[in-house]
Amino acid sequence: MTQELMERVVEHDNLNQAYRRVKANKGAPGVDGMTVDELRGWAAMHKEALLASLLDGTFQPQPVRGVQIPKPGGGVRQLGIPTVVDRLVQQAILQVLNPMLDPTFSASSFGFRPGRGAHDALRQARQYVSEGRLIVVDLDLEKFFDRVNHDILMSRLARRIGDKRLLRIIRRFLEAGMMQGGVCMDREEGTPQGGPLSPLLANLMLDELDKELEKRGHCFCRYADDCNIYVRTKKAGERVMASVSRLLEGRLKLKVNREKSAVAFIEGRKFLGHRLLRGGKLGIAPKALERLKDKVRKITRRNRGVKLSRVIEELNTFTMGWVTYFRHASAKGHLQRLDEWIREKLRCYRLKQCKRAKAIADFLRERGIKAAEAWELALSGKGWWRLSHTYQTHQAMDLKWWKDQGLQSCQAGILNYDPTETAGCDEHVRRCERGEP
């Protein structure tokens, strides 16, 4: 019964599962400074008091610790880090509520849901495009997690559950202050990212949008606050944009970012880091490629002073994760040029490690370069980046050498990669470095 949900929250097995999840997720301490490793000891001493406060509805969360992180497109994203005790309680509540609420959500909602993910959303979007819906209504909600209206959210939640103790505690989590810069600020709206409950509450808030779009017969995909609606004509898209904006701003009190939202052909917009192409194919969004290259530049920064083997290890970890995410994209050309560019960055890094002309010449000679050619390069006076493009460096640090060093190819992670194809020459490197296609 929904009136007795708190008893299910405090069940021994549920709390143990919540503890294991919080422990596995690790995470930074909250305002009280308690770490995840200290939670077990705290729980052993205060378990009875914690259970009693949950069962009688008097549990009081502590303020969250405010942290701002830069967003890829500029600006900052506000995070709120609860204490580990509050994370434990939120996780225990989530494990009870999720099986109740998630099955009622739309089939076109994919974010933060068990058994669903970004690739499922992209698969459905590709299906809509392959059916001829080439116009996308791309909705961007301005600071969604910071603007969620508490009264509207709690009214939606109260329709689903009847345990008033649980409703009171969830409301307190929403209204818990935010400690930032030594000052605790009250919060009258928003469900800051950082707590286990926030994704579920966000999906509950936007479920009304989903149900309205389904009622109107629209084809759409929503991943958290990123919602794309697919239509056949631009005129229809403009009508949908106007009506859905009225719904979001009127009924849900959210704000549509007019500058970032648009009605456009699918090729001109991105969805979950991808570009949708006609026929239902996927490409990689230019901004996603630029963010990748920015990260590679940081890893291969020449003044890091770490071993080349460590740099390669870090690169492999990052690029293989990135390529796995984009594995369904048609991007062999991009990834071939990316492989070439990464090798050029590493050649530059390796030469810089030599520091002096003699060390450069000795390294090249060890790699089979003639003494005269090795000294010609070592004494040329060119900068490290220009040296990395020379014939001698390419011969000394060829594809086989990089394979022996353990460097993994980005192309190998793409589903349509043909291992019989050669990696090609590195003539595209200069254009890739300048950001040209």
Side-chain angles (χ1 to χ4, degrees):
M1 295 177 61
T2 61
Q3 290 83 3
E4 300 175 353
L5 290 178
M6 192 56 78
E7 280 70 20
R8 291 165 57 185
V9 169
V10 300
E11 283 180 357
H12 182 266
D13 289 345
N14 188 56
L15 286 174
N16 278 349
Q17 182 183 346
Y19 170 78
R20 288 192 295 269
R21 181 60 61 87
V22 171
K23 179 84 171 174
N25 288 342
K26 299 180 181 179
V31 294
D32 61 355
M34 185 189 300
T35 66
V36 173
D37 292 334
E38 297 171 325
L39 178 58
R40 187 181 186 88
W42 182 95
M45 295 179 59
H46 301 89
K47 179 180 178 181
E48 297 304 322
L50 174 63
L51 296 184
S53 67
L54 290 171
L55 287 170
D56 63 21
T58 60
F59 176 79
Q60 186 66 49
Q62 295 190 61
V64 298
R65 182 165 66 88
V67 176
Q68 292 184 337
I69 60 173
K71 295 172 70 173
V76 295
R77 176 176 285 112
Q78 180 70 60
L79 301 184
I81 302 175
T83 65
V84 290
V85 174
D86 289 346
R87 296 209 292 271
L88 174 69
V89 174
Q90 286 195 35
Q91 182 64 38
I93 293 173
L94 175 68
Q95 290 166 183
V96 171
L97 292 186
N98 209 47
M100 295 173 51
L101 300 181
D102 188 81
T104 70
F105 293 155
S106 168
S108 294
S109 167
F110 296 93
F112 309 119
R113 299 184 61 188
R116 289 168 165 259
H119 289 132
D120 300 304
L122 290 164
R123 187 180 303 113
Q124 183 163 307
R126 293 170 69 183
Q127 178 63 33
Y128 293 147
V129 171
S130 67
E131 293 169 357
R133 296 176 176 87
L134 303 181
I135 302 294
V136 60
V137 181
D138 188 356
L139 285 164
D140 184 272
L141 296 177
E142 186 174 304
K143 297 184 178 179
F144 166 71
F145 284 91
D146 298 333
R147 294 182 182 273
V148 169
N149 184 285
H150 292 171
D151 292 334
I152 294 175
L153 175 57
M154 291 306 301
S155 70
R156 273 46 174 185
L157 189 58
R159 295 174 189 172
R160 313 283 187 104
I161 65 176
D163 193 323
K164 293 185 179 179
R165 298 167 297 174
L166 184 54
L167 290 171
R168 281 198 298 270
I169 289 174
I170 292 175
R171 179 108 195 190
R172 289 180 192 139
F173 274 122
L174 291 173
E175 294 177 345
M178 179 174 291
M179 184 74 73
Q180 197 155 6
V183 178
C184 187
M185 298 171 286
D186 293 335
R187 290 192 296 122
E188 298 179 353
E189 62 180 5
T191 170
Q193 301 174 72
L197 264 178
S198 290
L200 177 65
L201 297 178
N203 275 331
L204 177 63
M205 184 74 172
L206 291 174
D207 186 57
E208 188 161 341
L209 168 65
D210 299 341
K211 295 299 194 294
E212 186 64 29
L213 292 175
E214 289 179 340
K215 180 180 175 182
R216 298 179 186 182
H218 290 306
C219 297
F220 71 98
C221 296
R222 183 177 66 79
Y223 192 95
D225 58 336
D226 194 352
C227 184
N228 280 2
I229 307 167
Y230 298 92
V231 296
R232 296 184 185 276
T233 67
K234 197 161 186 178
K235 189 173 182 180
E238 289 168 351
R239 287 199 303 269
V240 171
M241 174 68 82
S243 62
V244 172
S245 296
R246 285 195 298 270
L247 165 69
L248 289 167
E249 296 181 340
R251 197 185 303 178
L252 298 180
K253 306 301 180 186
L254 298 171
K255 186 175 182 181
V256 176
N257 189 325
R258 296 309 200 273
E259 292 183 1
K260 294 185 178 180
S261 300
V263 177
F265 282 101
I266 52 169
E267 297 93 340
R269 307 297 293 179
K270 64 180 179 68
F271 183 49
L272 301 177
H274 291 74
R275 290 176 61 209
L276 283 154
L277 309 174
R278 298 186 186 225
K281 291 184 178 181
L282 284 178
I284 301 176
K287 286 186 178 180
L289 285 168
E290 280 304 313
R291 287 197 292 271
L292 166 71
K293 290 169 66 178
D294 286 342
K295 179 66 173 180
V296 170
R297 289 186 184 102
K298 290 179 181 178
I299 295 174
T300 58
R301 198 173 61 248
R302 295 194 292 274
N303 61 356
R304 288 191 64 192
V306 300
K307 291 182 178 180
L308 180 66
S309 58
R310 179 179 165 186
V311 172
I312 291 175
E313 183 181 346
E314 291 179 17
L315 274 176
N316 287 341
T317 300
F318 173 69
T319 58
M320 289 303 100
W322 189 90
V323 169
T324 298
Y325 178 74
F326 288 100
R327 65 186 180 272
H328 297 291
S330 300
K332 286 196 292 185
H334 282 302
L335 295 181
Q336 176 178 314
R337 292 192 291 273
L338 184 62
D339 275 337
E340 295 163 356
W341 179 70
I342 288 174
R343 289 194 297 272
E344 214 67 40
K345 299 289 287 184
L346 289 174
R347 288 185 184 110
C348 194
Y349 190 92
R350 180 63 185 89
L351 288 175
K352 175 69 161 54
Q353 285 185 320
C354 294
K355 295 184 179 179
R356 289 180 172 79
K358 184 178 184 306
I360 294 174
D362 289 346
F363 170 72
L364 294 176
R365 289 169 62 193
E366 289 171 6
R367 295 292 310 136
I369 305 301
K370 294 178 181 178
E373 294 178 343
W375 278 106
E376 179 186 2
L377 181 142
L379 298 173
S380 68
K382 294 178 180 177
W384 301 114
W385 183 243
R386 290 184 65 192
L387 290 177
S388 69
H389 288 72
T390 59
Y391 162 80
Q392 295 95 318
T393 20
H394 279 226
Q395 285 291 101
M397 293 179 275
D398 57 10
L399 293 175
K400 183 181 182 305
W401 191 78
W402 287 117
K403 185 177 180 180
D404 292 341
Q405 304 308 306
L407 181 65
Q408 297 184 40
S409 166
C410 293
Q411 296 176 77
I414 293 295
L415 292 180
N416 56 0
Y417 170 65
D418 180 359
T420 64
E421 293 182 357
T422 61
C425 63
D426 290 348
E427 62 188 4
H428 300 286
V429 173
R430 295 181 190 276
R431 286 186 294 153
C432 193
E433 171 66 13
R434 293 195 297 266
E436 297 176 1

